[in-house]
Amino acid sequence: YQTRFSQAEAEEREALEAERRILGLGHNQTIKSADGLSIILRDEGSLTEAEKLERANFEVANKALGADDVDTLFAKHNLALILGREGRWGESISLMDETFRASSRTRGPDHSITLGYANDFGALLLGDGRLQEAETVLRESLRGHMKTMGTRWETSLTRSLLGGALTGLGRFEEAESLVVVGYDGLREKEANIPPIYRSEITKAAGRIENLYASWGRPEKAAQWKSALAHQSIGDRDGTSE
């Protein structure tokens, strides 16, 4: 797994250096390659380097392409996720809120990219413990996903995230149907989920375990803890059942 990351990082660095030299810093393709490298660094855990790269990339994109350009918004979104991974919730949530609102205005609230930003916005609010705000964002995101994307895996992810917010709010019965159906949908559509998002399946199983632990149902929590351990092994060795 780490070897695959290292190879991808080396390839992305080489491509970025060539594009900077030939196309310039403000070219769309250069900005996209910087995004790609920052995502790899983030997922490797190299958060300081990822933040430095993406913050500079966002500033270049904002100046060269404009604040509402698709590539500027994606760079801003990536920076918000990196900051969230660092636990810097204030700036992270502010940037993602701005990104989501700009995409809603320019693409429309039910565009697939806007809905993806809504999920990430809700997940950051959830991470910061802002549960009622997370519920509001994710409930509207689920409405949009069901309207626009139907039964695709992204809709299942939205259900799981919303269920996580409701668990934190103590609304366990409604949360149960969301986290279980969401997890089942992700497993069913696993082959269609891009590799970079496959870890969402494990996170969804963790939300079910957390639900039953919070609900005072330790036997069910133990069952899902075992399932989560098995899923994590599958993620590491590249297998799934």
Side-chain angles (χ1 to χ4, degrees):
Y1 185 75
Q2 188 62 43
T3 301
R4 292 200 303 271
F5 255 135
S6 298
Q7 182 179 354
E9 179 188 338
E11 292 172 353
E12 200 68 53
R13 284 187 188 278
E14 183 177 354
L16 178 58
E17 289 174 6
E19 287 158 4
R20 282 174 168 172
R21 185 174 63 254
I22 297 168
L23 301 174
L25 290 175
H27 192 280
N28 294 73
Q29 186 55 51
T30 308
I31 290 166
K32 289 176 181 176
S33 290
D35 287 331
L37 178 56
S38 75
I39 290 170
I40 292 171
L41 292 169
R42 181 196 72 199
D43 290 345
E44 285 180 335
S46 301
L47 297 177
T48 300
E49 184 180 3
E51 180 193 343
K52 182 179 179 180
L53 173 63
E54 195 61 90
R55 194 178 290 279
N57 190 47
F58 165 58
E59 291 172 358
V60 168
N62 194 45
K63 182 177 180 180
L65 305 176
D68 288 343
D69 182 84
V70 57
D71 291 322
T72 303
L73 291 178
F74 190 68
K76 194 174 190 178
H77 157 267
N78 282 348
L79 177 58
L81 291 181
I82 293 165
L83 294 170
R85 190 73 66 89
E86 293 177 312
R88 293 162 62 185
W89 301 113
E91 185 181 5
S92 173
I93 288 171
S94 178
L95 288 171
M96 191 65 77
D97 186 10
E98 292 170 5
T99 303
F100 167 62
R101 291 177 186 277
S103 187
S104 296
R105 184 177 66 252
T106 58
R107 293 190 178 95
D110 293 335
H111 191 283
S112 60
I113 293 177
T114 304
L115 292 171
Y117 290 157
N119 274 7
D120 287 336
F121 184 27
L124 289 172
L125 290 167
L126 191 57
D128 194 30
R130 294 163 61 173
L131 301 175
Q132 291 183 327
E133 293 172 81
E135 180 194 356
T136 299
V137 170
L138 291 167
R139 201 174 285 283
E140 182 61 21
S141 181
L142 181 57
R143 180 207 60 77
H145 273 89
M146 292 175 66
K147 175 184 175 182
T148 304
M149 308 186 80
T151 60
R152 286 178 49 164
W153 69 269
E154 294 94 335
T155 305
S156 297
L157 174 58
T158 313
R159 283 195 175 93
S160 176
L161 288 167
L162 177 57
L166 296 179
T167 295
L169 291 167
R171 289 151 59 186
F172 300 126
E173 290 187 5
E174 185 181 2
E176 182 179 31
S177 64
L178 288 164
V179 295
V180 172
V181 172
Y183 173 77
D184 288 345
L186 288 170
R187 289 306 304 263
E188 181 183 343
K189 299 290 193 305
E190 182 172 0
N192 299 323
I193 301 176
I196 194 172
Y197 294 112
R198 296 272 172 85
S199 63
E200 295 297 340
I201 300 174
T202 303
K203 294 176 186 177
R207 290 186 193 103
I208 301 177
E209 179 195 350
N210 183 54
L211 165 73
Y212 289 124
S214 301
W215 203 352
R217 299 172 66 178
E219 299 85 1
K220 295 283 286 185
Q223 291 175 13
W224 281 97
K225 185 175 183 178
S226 176
L228 178 59
H230 179 75
Q231 179 66 40
S232 297
I233 292 169
D235 287 344
R236 286 196 297 271
D237 65 18
T239 63
S240 60
E241 295 181 357

